[in-house]
Amino acid sequence: MTLGVGGSTIEAELGRMRSMREGVARIGDDELRARVAKAQSIMRRENIAALNLDSSTSCLYFAGLRFKLTERLHGVVIPAAGDPVYVSPAFEAERLRTMMRIPGEIRCWEEHESPTALVIDVVRDLGHPSGTIAVDPSTPFFTFDGMRRAGNSYSFVNGATVTAACRMIKSPAEIALIRHAMALTLEVHKATARILREGITTTEVADFIGRAHLKLGTDAAPNVSIVLFGEPTAYPHGVPYPQTLKSGDMVLIDIGATLHGYQSDLTRSYVFGEPNARQREIWDLEKRATEAAFAAARLGATCESVDAAARAVIEAAGFGPGYAVPGLPHRTGHGVGLDVHEEPYIVKGDRTPLAPGMCFSNEPMICIYGEFGVRLEDHVYMAEDGAHWFTPPSPSVDDPFGVNAPQ
């Protein structure tokens, strides 16, 4: 039997869990102000008059505000100089005042008025009768279309010019939060492996994963939860039907949640029972591919070179080429932070040089339709001395959680 798999129950695992949230601080107000200042420096360099943030994670990143995206515009305008201006439905203004962490004027719109016209009025009142407005890349088209109609004296650019340039480089406080979130989810993985038994369903396991994350202190239930047994493990994002576990099945579990807004995202693959020769072969190949990607993650190296390193190992074993299956059908990784997928991307064509503060996944999955798949996903952060793991990678197919690792 694979070490660390089976032998416990849902009730026992939940009963021993204690919150890991205590003592973990959110991003401070001083850091929020420094982010706004950095954005404004970029805006002045790029001759951008203002950055309009919609109800997205960039609003959380710069202003510390978490809004649910709806048809009602609720956001922040950051000018190239000066304090942010908050745009709010009038009936939400008092609530907004209780949430604000950076001072700024609140401009309101009533239900019969155009909020996009108000955004343009805000930019004009800031002293920019024309010029360039950067638009949050997560802005719905209907909002952008309204701004464009109301602001025909302005040009509009993708706000990623500003937002991605800031968010791609994580601060020490952000890296600490991501590390803690990853460690929490790794504990959920270990507990999940222990509850497995023949006959358990993927639905039961997914329910446990949600309860376990909340018990350990995440912001909310997991926003990533893929649980697969047997042949469906070959499908990167799963299948639309539940499975029941049997001896000899490959298990693939990809889960993640947030802690003070910052994402965890980890995948483990292992066998319920005794791995056969084919499972060992593919698991070991996947392990070598992740190690090659990690070794290629050097300061100054391009993101695409990390993808190429993992893909070369898989193709040398006779899989692929390129995205062909059997093989690796998707990119090797993605950035992580307030979004589970964000810049930079570890994929062919992304020539962004790796720099201190960048964080990304390492997950060059091997998919063999009709048999099984293996994905080992841990995340990497770049420091002044090179690449580091957020979580210890899975040691072996026989001991995927390091039960026998030296203490």
Side-chain angles (χ1 to χ4, degrees):
M1 187 72 173
T2 304
L3 292 173
V5 178
S8 187
T9 66
I10 290 173
E11 295 73 19
E13 293 301 325
L14 289 173
R16 67 167 60 104
M17 287 180 174
R18 300 293 180 269
S19 177
M20 296 174 64
R21 191 180 183 91
E22 283 72 19
V24 181
R26 69 177 184 176
I27 297 298
D29 293 357
D30 287 346
E31 184 159 331
L32 295 181
R33 285 189 282 269
R35 293 171 177 181
V36 170
K38 181 177 179 180
Q40 291 176 320
S41 175
I42 295 170
M43 291 159 64
R44 290 191 292 271
R45 185 184 71 215
E46 299 295 329
N47 199 29
I48 293 171
L51 167 65
N52 185 67
L53 300 176
D54 211 289
S55 300
S56 70
T57 50
S58 284
C59 192
L60 177 60
Y61 179 85
F62 289 104
L65 295 174
R66 193 193 304 268
F67 298 127
K68 182 179 179 180
L69 181 62
T70 72
E71 78 283 2
R72 290 188 173 98
L73 189 151
H74 212 161
V76 183
V77 177
I78 298 178
D83 292 334
V85 177
Y86 300 85
V87 177
S88 173
F91 72 92
E92 293 275 29
E94 292 308 311
R95 174 172 170 265
L96 173 59
R97 287 188 177 90
T98 70
M99 300 166 62
M100 286 169 54
R101 297 174 58 187
I102 299 177
E105 180 187 3
I106 298 176
R107 296 284 296 272
C108 296
W109 57 276
E110 298 289 359
E111 290 280 78
H112 65 286
E113 296 177 327
S114 167
T116 51
L118 178 57
V119 170
I120 299 303
D121 287 343
V122 166
V123 176
R124 187 176 293 113
D125 292 346
L126 286 167
H128 302 284
S130 62
T132 300
I133 298 174
V135 181
D136 188 332
S138 295
T139 300
F141 178 77
F142 68 84
T143 301
F144 168 68
D145 189 49
M147 292 170 57
R148 183 176 57 180
R149 290 171 184 272
N152 55 18
S153 60
Y154 297 90
S155 59
F156 297 88
V157 297
N158 189 336
T161 303
V162 181
T163 59
C166 294
R167 292 179 56 174
M168 196 182 303
I169 305 299
K170 271 63 181 183
S171 69
E174 289 180 284
I175 289 174
L177 272 171
I178 297 170
R179 182 187 293 115
H180 205 90
M182 296 288 186
L184 187 157
T185 289
L186 184 55
E187 291 305 308
V188 175
H189 262 295
K190 293 175 182 178
T192 302
R194 291 192 291 264
I195 71 163
L196 295 184
R197 55 174 170 77
E198 192 150 13
I200 199 169
T201 66
T202 50
T203 305
E204 290 175 89
V205 174
D207 178 72
F208 169 79
I209 287 166
R211 295 166 66 189
H213 272 99
L214 290 171
K215 191 80 183 287
L216 290 177
T218 54
D219 299 333
N223 52 9
V224 178
S225 188
I226 300 172
V227 181
L228 302 168
F229 302 153
E231 193 271 340
T233 59
Y235 296 79
H237 289 163
V239 293
Y241 53 84
Q243 306 105 58
T244 301
L245 186 63
K246 62 183 186 297
S247 182
D249 275 348
M250 182 65 73
V251 175
L252 186 153
I253 298 177
D254 181 351
I255 52 178
T258 61
L259 185 64
H260 291 305
Y262 282 84
Q263 295 279 348
S264 63
D265 180 22
L266 293 172
T267 306
R268 290 291 181 265
S269 296
Y270 46 87
V271 176
F272 180 73
E274 187 68 23
N276 62 36
R278 176 67 160 170
Q279 289 167 333
R280 289 181 183 278
E281 173 197 358
I282 302 306
W283 198 100
D284 289 344
L285 177 60
E286 167 73 359
K287 174 76 169 173
R288 294 198 302 274
T290 63
E291 290 172 339
F294 184 80
R298 301 182 303 273
L299 293 173
T302 61
C303 290
E304 69 174 359
S305 70
V306 178
D307 177 79
R311 206 169 291 279
V313 170
I314 294 170
E315 291 181 2
F319 294 94
Y323 298 113
V325 175
L328 168 54
H330 55 64
R331 64 194 175 208
T332 292
H334 55 80
V336 69
L338 291 172
D339 287 315
V340 72
H341 292 171
E342 60 181 51
E343 292 88 352
Y345 290 99
I346 309 304
V347 66
K348 183 177 181 179
D350 191 332
R351 297 180 177 84
T352 305
L354 294 176
M358 289 184 179
C359 305
F360 53 90
S361 70
N362 180 349
E363 48 177 323
M365 181 177 184
I366 301 173
C367 301
I368 308 173
Y369 298 138
E371 293 187 55
F372 60 87
V374 178
R375 179 162 73 242
L376 302 174
E377 178 188 14
D378 290 280
H379 287 243
V380 176
Y381 67 93
M382 304 302 296
E384 295 291 347
D385 60 350
H388 296 263
W389 294 106
F390 275 109
T391 43
S394 203
S396 72
V397 68
D398 295 299
D399 188 11
F401 297 100
V403 173
N404 276 352
Q407 299 299 314

